[in-house]
Amino acid sequence: DQQVKQNSPSLSVQEGRISILNCDYTNSMFDYFLWYKKYPAEGPTFLISISSIKDKNEDGRFTVFLNKSAKHLSLHIVPSQPGDSAVYFCAASAVGGADGLTFGKGTHLIIQP
Amino acid sequence: EAQVTQNPRYLITVTGKKLTVTCSQNMNHEYMSWYRQDPGLGLRQIYYSMNVEVTDKGDVPEGYKVSRKEKRNFPLILESPSPNQTSLYFCASSAGTGGTRPQHFGDGTRLSIL
């Protein structure tokens, strides 16, 4: 049973426009959500996170929105730049969870010039 | 520089030949874990460790062993590798569990088991 779902394997966006990456989850015990970015031949790197007590967190061009009632979060990148082309993983951790993060399958974002 | 170092980065070997992938972190992190990444499946946790001498199974532990004798090192051991363990492996560390302490990942080890 997949607890964190990223239903779009890939997304193509024109440079300068907004990129919106989506993530759904099923476990209501998740209390923290993170986005990681991964380039080929490198490990994932932390991008931005949000606590379940918030509905929005912003860091420069990156904003994460959380809709707890819908069990949905999204990552907005504005404006999109060529260096944003990467695989983005949504991840979640549970209240009191000792076993770390549960990851989605990832979305490959391609920024078109 | 804060980092998680994995070795080797690439390895091609044969079924049944024991191998170890080393992982070392220089951030004095208590929490370490191993993931494997497979096409269409994302990152799945193999084992994790909350501190020295404390390890536990993740989602896909079958065929793997780990040890945590020192805080900085967390090797992944495949006693008798099989082709279905061909994958991209990542080691990660963090100051603690939970999302408030994001995990730092190594650059990965690509294993091919023939």
Side-chain angles (χ1 to χ4, degrees), chain A residues 2-94:
Chain A
Q2 196 183 350
Q3 299 186 67
V4 177
K5 301 177 186 178
Q6 294 178 258
N7 292 320
S8 299
S10 66
L11 175 67
S12 184
V13 174
Q14 200 166 13
E15 182 179 355
R17 307 292 289 265
I18 182 171
S19 295
I20 301 176
L21 293 90
N22 293 304
C23 178
D24 297 293
Y25 62 96
T26 58
N27 188 344
S28 55
M29 297 298 288
F30 286 146
D31 69 336
Y32 225 92
F33 304 89
L34 305 89
W35 286 93
Y36 281 80
K37 177 179 180 179
K38 185 184 179 302
Y39 292 120
E42 295 183 10
T45 55
F46 170 71
L47 189 58
I48 192 169
S49 63
I50 188 166
S51 163
S52 61
I53 63 172
K54 294 186 175 181
D55 55 17
K56 177 183 173 181
N57 188 26
E58 194 171 351
D59 184 2
R61 296 186 298 113
F62 303 92
T63 303
V64 56
F65 295 92
L66 175 63
N67 182 335
K68 279 189 69 177
S69 61
K71 292 191 174 69
H72 176 84
L73 64 153
S74 60
L75 174 68
H76 293 213
I77 306 173
V78 183
S80 300
Q81 298 175 354
D84 296 330
S85 294
V87 176
Y88 290 78
F89 289 100
C90 174
S93 69

Side-chain angles (χ1 to χ4, degrees), chain B residues 3 11 14 20 28 62 65 67 73 80 84 101 104:
Chain B
Q3 59 186 2
L11 178 64
V14 296
T20 299
N28 201 36
E62 292 77 22
K65 283 176 57 177
S67 69
N73 295 323
S80 183
N84 65 11
R101 299 180 175 91
H104 299 256

Side-chain angles (χ1 to χ4, degrees), chain A residues 38-43, chain B residues 9-10 88 90 106-108 110:
Chain A
K38 185 184 179 302
Y39 292 120
E42 295 183 10
Chain B
R9 292 291 311 277
Y10 305 91
L88 179 58
F90 290 101
D107 283 337
R110 186 166 292 281

Side-chain angles (χ1 to χ4, degrees), chain B:
Chain B
E1 180 190 351
Q3 59 186 2
V4 177
T5 304
Q6 298 178 225
N7 279 297
R9 292 291 311 277
Y10 305 91
L11 178 64
I12 301 174
T13 187
V14 296
T15 300
K17 186 176 181 182
K18 180 180 178 181
L19 67 91
T20 299
V21 184
T22 64
C23 174
S24 180
Q25 51 94 3
N26 63 0
M27 295 168 278
N28 201 36
H29 284 166
E30 292 183 346
Y31 185 93
M32 297 185 74
S33 60
W34 276 102
Y35 295 86
R36 61 179 287 175
Q37 183 187 3
D38 300 291
L41 295 177
L43 288 156
R44 295 179 294 166
Q45 191 177 53
I46 303 170
Y47 267 94
Y48 64 95
S49 169
M50 296 189 68
N51 214 325
V52 175
E53 302 293 0
V54 179
T55 64
D56 212 339
K57 296 177 181 178
D59 298 320
V60 288
E62 292 77 22
Y64 304 94
K65 283 176 57 177
V66 293
S67 69
R68 188 91 182 273
K69 294 184 171 59
E70 306 165 282
K71 198 172 189 179
R72 64 181 291 126
N73 295 323
F74 190 44
L76 179 70
I77 304 155
L78 285 72
E79 294 270 3
S80 183
S82 62
N84 65 11
Q85 293 177 296
T86 292
S87 187
L88 179 58
Y89 292 84
F90 290 101
C91 179
S93 75
S94 62
T97 58
T100 57
R101 299 180 175 91
Q103 295 188 28
H104 299 256
F105 284 81
D107 283 337
T109 295
R110 186 166 292 281
L111 287 183
S112 294
I113 316 295
L114 304 177

